[in-house]
Amino acid sequence: EVQLVESGGGLVQPGGSLRLSCAASELIFSKYVMTWVRQAPGKGLEWVSVISGSGISTHYADSVKGRFTISRDNSKNTVYLQMDSLRAEDSAVYYCAKSISETGYYYLDYWGQGTLVTVSS
Amino acid sequence: SYVLTQPPSVSVAPGKTARITCGGNNVGSKSVHWYQQKPGQAPVLVIYYDSARPSGIPERFSGSNSGNTATLTISGVEAGDEADYYCHVWDSSSDHYVFGTGTKVTVL
């Protein structure tokens, strides 16, 4: 069974940085598009960023473009989300999720359990 | 940017049918996926490509998509179906994933 485990969340001050990691197991990691989705407390799901299987293609939500960077290390079966210039409104549970294709953007069939990011002074 | 609009809440008696709509401009031309999320848990895929069910999802869950509205239908609703439901598409014009606003299903 595919497993996705996020880590790296925590409390950070406004303007600070944090790097999230998502480690995957039981799959050929490089064959799948990976995405980050967040959920603020009591709110709905918000897509954050996506990266192709090779890591060449990346896309970002307008709310994080220029501040967040998605990357992956296929040798470590891990996808990352570098978050800079953090704001209070970035506070959320961050989920990583796997798509079904290496290059196409389709449904998300496996999700991690999430890691909580709190931006506060 | 592309927007998907869902009703905030749907209430249904046990054994009845719940219908959750997902409205978007010409959403019928896109593939719509649906996720169920229970409190404190990660989302779970319940419908993909408009109407396909992943293995392990009961036949009570079905989907359709046409025109400006996609619909998730839960037949014979059970107490365990109480959750938040989100629709989801890829918008190729903006290269963005988009989630619907979410619908809370309450079983009376």
Side-chain angles (χ1 to χ4, degrees):
Chain A
E1 173 93 352
V2 170
Q3 286 198 332
L4 302 174
V5 179
E6 302 94 338
S7 62
L11 175 63
V12 61
Q13 291 188 340
S17 297
L18 213 55
R19 188 177 84 154
L20 306 183
S21 300
C22 171
S25 59
E26 306 302 327
L27 78 168
I28 303 175
F29 186 67
S30 63
K31 287 193 173 293
Y32 300 104
V33 165
M34 297 294 295
T35 196
W36 287 95
V37 176
R38 69 185 181 184
Q39 186 170 38
K43 302 298 183 181
L45 301 176
E46 180 188 13
W47 171 70
V48 174
S49 183
V50 65
I51 187 168
S52 63
S54 66
I56 290 175
S57 180
T58 61
H59 301 288
Y60 298 91
D62 296 345
S63 59
V64 307
K65 194 167 187 177
R67 300 187 300 122
F68 290 12
T69 303
I70 192 171
S71 62
R72 64 192 297 160
D73 185 339
N74 287 342
S75 69
K76 295 183 178 179
N77 280 14
T78 301
V79 61
Y80 304 98
L81 186 68
Q82 176 67 40
M83 304 186 296
D84 299 319
S85 303
L86 282 163
R87 307 166 180 167
E89 54 265 35
D90 295 319
S91 296
V93 173
Y94 284 73
Y95 296 100
C96 71
K98 165 194 164 293
S99 188
I100 61 162
S101 166
E102 185 174 353
T103 56
Y105 304 105
Y106 303 108
Y107 57 91
L108 306 173
D109 58 349
Y110 286 93
W111 295 64
Q113 283 304 304
T115 186
L116 177 63
V117 172
T118 303
V119 184
S120 175
S121 55
Chain B
S1 59
Y2 194 75
V3 175
L4 293 173
T5 302
Q6 300 179 230
S9 62
V10 167
S11 297
V12 58
K16 300 299 186 182
T17 298
R19 293 181 178 84
I20 304 162
T21 57
C22 173
N25 184 32
N26 198 25
V27 71
S29 67
K30 303 180 185 299
S31 291
V32 178
H33 320 299
W34 291 90
Y35 304 88
Q36 174 194 70
Q37 186 182 34
K38 296 182 178 179
Q41 297 183 20
V44 172
L45 180 71
V46 293
I47 291 289
Y48 63 98
Y49 292 151
D50 299 338
S51 59
R53 269 181 299 104
S55 60
I57 300 301
E59 291 183 11
R60 303 182 292 101
F61 288 83
S62 63
S64 63
N65 184 19
S66 178
N68 294 318
T69 305
T71 303
L72 173 68
T73 301
I74 311 173
S75 306
V77 166
E78 301 177 355
D81 298 331
E82 191 162 278
D84 294 326
Y85 292 83
Y86 296 91
C87 55
H88 173 227
V89 302
W90 172 256
D91 178 37
S92 57
S93 64
S94 62
D95 283 337
H96 281 31
Y97 271 130
V98 179
F99 285 95
T101 50
T103 299
K104 181 177 181 59
V105 170
T106 300
V107 181
L108 301 172

